[in-house]
Amino acid sequence: MPMTQPGAEAIAADHAANTAAAKAAAGAAKAENAAAGVIHSRLANGLEIVVIPDRRAPVVTHMIWYRNGSADDPVGKSGIAHFLEHLMFKGTHAHPQGEFSNLVSELGGQENAFTSYDYTAYFQRIGKEHLGTLMEFEADRMINLVLSDEVVGPEREVVLEERRMRTENDPSAQLDEAVQAALFPHHPYGTPIIGWGHEIETLGREDALHYYRRFYTPENAVLIVAGDIDFETARDLAEKSYGRIPARDDAPSRRRPREPEPRAHRLVTLADEKVEQPTQERVFLVPSYTTAAPGEAETLEVLAHVLGGGPSSVLYDQLVVEQKVAVNAGAYYMGSALDDTRFWVYATPAPGVSLERLDDAIGAALDKFAASEIAEADLKRAKNRLVAEAVYAQDSQVSLARWYGESLATGLSVEDVAAWPERIDAVTAADLTAAARKWLQKRRAVTGFLQPEGEDQAGLAA
């Protein structure tokens, strides 16, 4: 049951799925993309449904997305979204703990769940003949979750141990946590998805139930079904299960404080005896697909790919190949977010190269890029690669379902996903340099240095 809180390099693995998001207003009640056959609809109780036909195998991926994540945790109760994700597997009156998971396993399926800043999702992949059964079980735990102190207490210890293993014993995770907190001192994105340890310790049964009753409602959920099924069959099955759950009220309003415009660069360093390889990351505050002006998010997406999308990228070529000050370098734009988001630039220094020297080289490379203009042929090649990566990601049924779920959960629409390649293609060389000058200013960034214990530390500077 993983969280989807990325670090500097791990985030690149999710690139193809995340690039699917796009900027625009909420979708209509029903819309069809003729090319892909994707249909978007809504039940009377407010539950949204997206059906994505995929006839290559007689299997389906069933996902239920809730529009709540760690950024919706109440003040002082960080980690409750992720904690409730764990507790959702503890059973109902009709289906005691373990029955749902055991059934999925017996039927040859797979299941999992994940929590991010803006959403929580549960999914199963199974033979298409069992879809109705999965919907019945998932609909049951949407409304009938049973929790007791005897269940909640031990599971809280599981989450605390997860935090110890993932963060407190991992210097790179500690650095990422500190960098996020420095980048978002006002907005809840600065709080880790798993929560702060001292606040997790206070979470109890009533906290979980209050959060559950607020967010786990049909009008706050999106059902994604991808696979060997038609829309009418999927909708009929959904009506028989999810459709029986009455709407509780209007969907919860998600009001978060806006992060003020950054005015000073911040430097965060962490030294630990467990660190064997120093690393550097520079994270900029930038708009997301949901908050950006038209075309701006797509430009940042292309910019990240051009700057750090592999061995042919600008940063890799300049830092690794030409200057030999790094052994790897990359960039990543986390465009899928409800509020303003992050743009990463990261690198690993070559032997004998200090983090300060590497950081200076990165800054110079960014300045050089912002002062010039990429050749049209190089831009076209980069855009083609970027779109191709997204297309190849659709070979995975789970990735395809996640593509749509993530978009709808962060305020976008089915039409946005369909139009994304065209909007990427519309990005110009002038757009890239303008975006680099506007958004990749050092004052907008937090730089993180991770180094072995005993090396000179740059400290914390503003």
Side-chain angles (χ1 to χ4, degrees), residues 44 47 73 87 151-152 239:
L47 178 74
D73 292 349
L87 295 174
V151 166
V152 172
E239 286 279 13

Side-chain angles (χ1 to χ4, degrees), residues 3 5 70-71 73 78-79 82 117 163 167 177 180-181 188-197:
M3 301 166 295
Q5 179 174 11
S70 65
D73 292 349
S78 65
H82 173 249
Y117 294 101
R163 178 175 170 82
T167 304
E177 191 172 86
Q180 297 298 312
Y189 286 163
T191 299
I193 293 171
I194 198 169
W196 302 114

Side-chain angles (χ1 to χ4, degrees), residues 286-365:
V286 298
S288 68
Y289 274 102
T290 307
T291 63
E296 205 162 42
E298 292 80 5
T299 299
L300 288 168
E301 195 80 69
V302 177
L303 179 61
H305 193 75
V306 169
L307 285 176
S312 61
S313 66
V314 169
L315 291 175
Y316 192 95
D317 183 61
Q318 292 190 25
L319 303 177
V320 179
V321 178
E322 292 184 10
Q323 301 178 38
K324 295 181 172 45
V325 294
V327 294
N328 82 311
Y332 175 76
Y333 171 53
M334 188 179 175
S336 297
L338 193 62
D339 300 311
D340 285 349
T341 188
R342 316 103 171 130
F343 188 109
W344 273 268
V345 174
Y346 55 89
T348 302
V353 176
S354 70
L355 289 172
E356 290 81 4
R357 180 184 170 194
L358 176 61
D359 190 59
D360 288 343
I362 288 173

Side-chain angles (χ1 to χ4, degrees), residues 16 50 158-159 184 190 196 257 304 397 427 461:
V50 177
V158 170
V159 174
F184 293 102
W196 302 114
Q397 198 178 89
V427 174

Side-chain angles (χ1 to χ4, degrees), residues 359-395:
D359 190 59
D360 288 343
I362 288 173
L366 295 177
D367 290 343
K368 180 180 178 181
F369 182 88
S372 58
E373 192 167 290
I374 186 173
E376 191 59 39
D378 293 338
L379 174 60
K380 186 66 175 177
R381 187 162 51 249
K383 291 191 291 188
N384 288 344
R385 284 199 307 267
L386 183 57
V387 173
E389 286 178 4
V391 172
Y392 295 150
Q394 296 178 39
D395 285 339

Side-chain angles (χ1 to χ4, degrees), residues 49 59 91 103 107 125 133 151 157 170 230 267 277 293 338 371 396 402 408:
I49 304 175
V59 296
L103 177 68
L107 295 176
R125 189 167 188 262
T133 301
V151 166
E157 293 304 313
D170 183 350
D230 57 74
L267 175 62
Q277 175 63 67
L338 193 62
S396 165
R402 183 164 177 166
L408 269 68

